[in-house]
Amino acid sequence: MPALSPASTFPESLAGRLTDEQRQIVLEAPRGQRLKTFAPFLSYTEPEALIALSEASGLAIASNLEADKPSLSLFPARLVHDYQLVPIKLHAEPAAPANAEEPPILPTTPLHLTTAWPPDATIVDWVRTFTPRPLVWHLGVPEKIHQLILQHFGVGSGSLEGSDDGYVAPETIHQAEAEVDEEAAVVRFVTEVISQAVADEATDIHFEPQEGQLRIRYRVDGLLVSVPVPENLLRFQDAIISRVKIMAKLNISEKRLPQDGRINFKADGAALDIRVSTIPTIYAESVSLRLLNKKKEAYSMDRLGMSPDEQAQIGQVLDYPHGIILVTGPTGSGKSTSLNAFLRKINSTDLRIITIEDPIEYEVPGVNQMQVRPEIGLTFADALRHVLRQDPDVIMVGEIRDKDTAEIAIRASLTGHLVFSTLHTNDAPGAITRLVDMGIEPFLVASAIELVIAQRLVRRLCSECSSPAPINKIKLRESLAILGCEAAEAELIDALKAPVGCDRCRNTGYRGRIGLFEIFRLNDEMHELVLKRESTRTLDECARKNGMRTLGQSGWEKVKAGHTTLDEVLRVITVAEK
C-alpha cells in the first residue's frame, strides 16, 4: 500500500476523486468529523470510507480500541482533543500473566497512536516534541476515539488545561494570551459540556458540588450517567457555576436563594432552549439544566411505540368534537411528547388549535402555542380562561395542577371543545379518582372524560448489537406474575433479546426509548362506578374485565417483540403501582 507522507493532509489517490471545493470542505471540518463529511462525496458509508482512507494512506485500522494508560500522560489534553488522537494497546500483542510486572517503557519502545484522520506534518511534529519514542500511526472509528478521550481525559479537559506544557492549539496560535485567561477557558468548558450533552442526546445536565469534587451528570434515556471530568475541575468550580448563571441572566452574587432562568444556546445546528435552576447546597450551588431542542423532530404515534390497535383506540376519540383526553404518568414519562403526537395527528386548516404549555417543548406548524408565566400571574387556569374567548376547536393544557384548572377544562369540554391535558397519577383509572379528590363533582368527571392514557418510557434495545439469549423459566414466571400477565406464557418462550453493548450505544446495550401504554375508556358500567365514587382499584378491575391492557401487559408485549427487556419493564413498573 502507498505510504502517507507526514506533510500530506489528504491521501493523493482519494484527493484526485474529489473537487477542490470538496477537499476544502473536508479539511475545514473538525478532525473527528472529517470521515463523516468525506464519505457522502464518494457515496460511501462511514465504514467504507474508513477502509478507503486506510488503503489510500497506508495506515492500518485499529479495532477493539483500548487506551494505553501508561502513555496517556505523555500528551496535554488539549493536543489530544484538538487532533483526536489517543495512545492505544495493540491486542495482537501477547497478554502478560496477571501477576507479571509491566515491561519498562524505553525510548525505543514503539508508541501506537490511533487517530480519526491521517496525521499531517504539524501533528507529527507536535507529538514528537512530547516523546522520543518511534510513532506507529493507526486509523480508528472517530466516535470510539472520541469516547476514549472523554473517558480518560474528561469532557472539556482541553479547555481547562494550562499552557505551561508549551502546546498552543492550532486555531488559537495567534491569540495565546487570551486563551490562557481562566475566564475564556471556563467559557469554552461550559460550551463543551453542553455540546457533548446534545451529542449524547441527554435531556438534563447536573452540576453537583460534592466534598472535594464537582460532579457532572447527564440524564440519558431516563438514567443518570456520570460524566468523566478533568482532574483539576474543582479549582474552577465557582467560575463554572458563575458562568452558567451569567448565561441564564441570573444574579451571580445571590448564592443563598434558589433561582430560575433560561439560556438560548446553539450547538451543531441545534437551537436549544435551556431551563436553568440553581439551589444552595452544603458545598456550593447545585445547578440543573433542562435541554429543550426547539427544532427537535416530533414523534408520530407509531414512533412513540403504539401498536396499531392502540393507535386505532386513540384515533377514534381524537375525531370527537368535544371531551377530555388525559395522559398520565410521572415526570419524564413522555406525556408532552404524546400530546404533541396527537395534535399533529388531527392538525388541519379547518381546526383552530391553541396550546397552553410550560415549557413549549415542540413547535407545531399552524398551532397557536402559548407559554404560561406564573411569575406575572399567567397560570394555566388564567391562560385557559382567556383561550376560551379565542374561538378554539381544540385546546391543549400542559398540566392540570389544581381544582381551578380542572373545572375550567371540564367546562370547556362540555361546551363543545376537545381538550388534551396531563395529570400525575400512577395508572389510568387513578386519574378519575384524582379529579374527584380535587373536588370535581363525579357527574362532571364522568360526562367530560372520554379517554385516559397512562404511559411509561423504557429503554429500547440497541438494534445494532442486541441478540437472543436463553431465559430462566422460573424467574420469567415470577416476573410475569409481578406484571399481571399469564405465568403460563413462560412455557412458550425459550429465548428473549438481551443487551450486548457496542460503540453505537455507548456499550449500554440500549439506545433511545419506547413507550408503554394503558388505555382506559369509560363505558356505561364505569360511569356508574364513577358516580358512586368507587375506588381506583374497583375502576381498574372493571376496566381490565372490559379488555383494558395494563402497563405491565403492554411492557410484556414490547419484550416479546424484541424492543426492550424484562428488567427494563420491571424497573419502570413497580409492584406498588397496582
Side-chain angles (χ1 to χ4, degrees):
M1 289 186 292
L4 177 77
S5 165
S8 173
T9 55
F10 214 119
E12 286 185 18
S13 62
L14 289 179
R17 298 172 63 187
L18 302 180
T19 66
D20 290 343
E21 183 183 2
Q22 289 173 333
R23 281 200 302 275
Q24 193 64 25
I25 290 172
V26 172
L27 294 176
E28 286 178 356
R31 296 187 64 81
Q33 297 294 319
R34 286 185 185 175
L35 190 74
K36 185 180 292 186
T37 307
F38 156 69
F41 289 143
L42 296 180
S43 301
Y44 284 155
T45 63
E46 285 186 50
E48 289 170 346
L50 185 61
I51 292 170
L53 196 61
S54 168
E55 292 173 347
S57 65
L59 302 182
I61 299 172
S63 56
N64 299 321
L65 296 182
E66 181 182 351
D68 180 13
K69 292 181 182 177
S71 300
L72 290 172
S73 59
L74 290 173
F75 305 111
R78 288 182 68 184
L79 180 142
V80 169
H81 276 274
D82 289 340
Y83 293 133
Q84 288 295 294
L85 58 86
V86 68
I88 57 165
K89 284 183 178 178
L90 279 193
H91 289 280
E93 298 170 357
N99 57 354
E101 293 185 8
E102 286 282 342
I105 297 177
L106 304 173
T108 55
T109 304
L111 176 62
H112 293 274
L113 293 162
T114 187
T115 179
W117 189 262
D120 58 27
T122 303
I123 297 178
V124 174
D125 288 345
W126 267 119
V127 171
R128 281 179 175 154
T129 63
F130 293 101
T131 178
R133 292 166 58 187
L135 306 179
V136 182
W137 292 94
H138 306 263
L139 292 177
V141 176
E143 289 81 2
K144 183 59 179 174
I145 293 172
H146 185 59
Q147 284 178 14
L148 281 178
I149 293 171
L150 295 184
Q151 179 183 340
H152 294 285
F153 290 89
V155 173
S157 54
S159 298
L160 298 182
E161 192 170 56
S163 62
D164 53 355
D165 48 51
Y167 169 70
V168 181
E171 70 278 10
T172 59
I173 199 161
H174 298 300
Q175 46 180 331
E177 287 185 20
E179 293 300 324
V180 174
D181 181 70
E182 180 178 302
E183 185 178 339
V186 168
V187 169
R188 285 197 311 273
F189 174 78
V190 172
T191 300
E192 287 187 38
V193 169
I194 297 174
S195 298
Q196 187 59 46
V198 174
D200 288 348
E201 299 180 1
T203 55
D204 302 83
I205 306 172
H206 301 290
F207 294 86
E208 303 169 311
Q210 307 285 304
E211 184 177 10
Q213 66 167 323
L214 174 62
R215 182 170 66 178
I216 300 177
R217 294 193 289 177
Y218 295 157
R219 188 173 293 280
V220 180
D221 292 340
L223 297 182
L224 283 172
V225 179
S226 290
V227 178
V229 295
E231 293 180 2
N232 62 342
L233 186 63
L234 186 62
R235 177 180 146 223
F236 297 91
Q237 174 178 291
D238 292 343
I240 290 168
I241 292 172
S242 293
R243 171 59 187 166
V244 176
K245 291 174 72 174
I246 288 169
M247 292 171 73
K249 298 179 175 59
L250 302 179
N251 182 354
I252 61 171
S253 61
E254 178 55 79
K255 301 181 180 179
R256 301 164 301 168
L257 295 173
Q259 297 185 67
D260 294 312
R262 60 195 296 180
I263 300 168
N264 287 316
F265 184 87
K266 286 185 169 58
D268 299 327
L272 298 183
D273 178 15
I274 302 177
R275 302 304 167 96
V276 180
S277 170
T278 72
I279 59 169
T281 69
I282 189 172
Y283 296 110
E285 289 173 285
S286 176
V287 183
S288 290
L289 282 64
R290 166 63 58 90
L291 310 182
L292 303 171
N293 190 340
K294 292 180 180 178
K295 303 298 181 185
K296 182 166 55 175
E297 182 186 354
Y299 280 59
S300 63
M301 291 171 68
D302 184 58
R303 193 175 164 201
L304 289 172
M306 290 182 177
S307 68
D309 177 56
E310 289 167 337
Q311 292 185 47
Q313 288 184 63
I314 296 169
Q316 185 179 3
V317 181
L318 290 179
D319 289 333
Y320 283 14
H322 55 78
I324 293 183
I325 298 174
L326 289 176
V327 181
T328 77
T331 300
S333 60
K335 300 187 296 295
S336 297
T337 304
S338 290
L339 288 181
N340 181 269
F342 301 161
L343 287 179
R344 287 175 182 270
K345 176 81 172 174
I346 65 170
N347 191 10
S348 66
T349 55
D350 58 350
L351 283 180
R352 178 161 166 78
I353 303 174
I354 303 179
T355 73
I356 306 166
E357 304 174 64
D358 184 24
I360 296 172
E361 294 191 33
Y362 297 87
E363 292 182 13
V364 186
V367 171
N368 303 280
Q369 296 177 267
M370 181 179 182
Q371 166 81 49
V372 301
R373 301 197 183 279
E375 69 274 10
I376 58 172
L378 186 60
T379 62
F380 277 116
D382 290 320
L384 188 50
R385 285 190 188 95
H386 291 286
V387 164
L388 286 173
R389 299 172 194 148
Q390 289 278 318
D391 184 34
D393 296 298
V394 180
I395 305 169
M396 195 267 271
V397 185
E399 184 182 345
I400 292 178
R401 295 177 178 172
D402 50 46
K403 180 183 177 183
D404 204 9
T405 308
E407 284 182 334
I408 301 169
I410 285 176
R411 189 168 74 241
S413 73
L414 294 176
T415 53
H417 303 89
L418 184 61
V419 180
F420 298 152
S421 193
T422 70
L423 264 182
H424 287 280
T425 62
N426 281 335
D427 54 16
I432 304 297
T433 49
R434 171 65 57 83
L435 290 171
V436 173
D437 290 344
M438 279 184 178
I440 308 299
E441 288 296 329
F443 76 91
L444 289 174
V445 174
S447 301
I449 303 298
E450 294 292 347
L451 195 70
V452 184
I453 305 159
Q455 73 176 64
R456 296 292 187 278
L457 292 177
V458 292
R459 289 184 296 168
R460 189 192 291 264
L461 279 167
C462 175
S463 59
E464 300 289 324
C465 65
S466 62
S467 62
I471 58 163
N472 180 320
K473 297 270 188 181
I474 296 175
K475 183 182 176 184
L476 180 56
R477 277 196 296 270
E478 292 171 351
S479 299
L480 289 175
I482 292 172
L483 295 176
C485 301
E486 290 292 333
E489 281 198 65
E491 305 308 318
L492 307 175
I493 307 290
D494 294 316
L496 293 169
K497 277 196 171 182
V500 177
C502 65
D503 291 346
R504 182 93 185 266
C505 61
R506 302 181 305 278
N507 291 314
T508 62
Y510 298 93
R511 193 163 187 267
R513 289 188 287 178
I514 191 170
L516 311 181
F517 303 95
E518 178 177 281
I519 300 174
F520 175 83
R521 189 167 179 188
L522 279 77
N523 58 17
D524 291 342
E525 184 181 355
M526 283 182 266
H527 272 226
E528 292 301 317
L529 295 177
V530 174
L531 295 176
K532 293 177 183 176
R533 298 178 183 263
E534 291 287 357
S535 67
T536 299
R537 181 181 292 276
T538 304
L539 287 172
D540 183 66
E541 289 171 352
C542 181
R544 291 194 201 196
K545 187 179 71 175
N546 282 275
M548 182 185 78
R549 187 167 64 181
T550 66
L551 284 166
Q553 291 165 340
S554 174
W556 174 230
E557 292 299 319
K558 296 291 191 298
V559 171
K560 289 191 291 185
H563 297 310
T564 188
T565 64
L566 210 50
D567 288 342
E568 263 298 287
V569 175
L570 290 169
R571 177 180 68 82
V572 171
I573 302 173
T574 63
V575 186
E577 289 180 350
K578 291 294 181 190

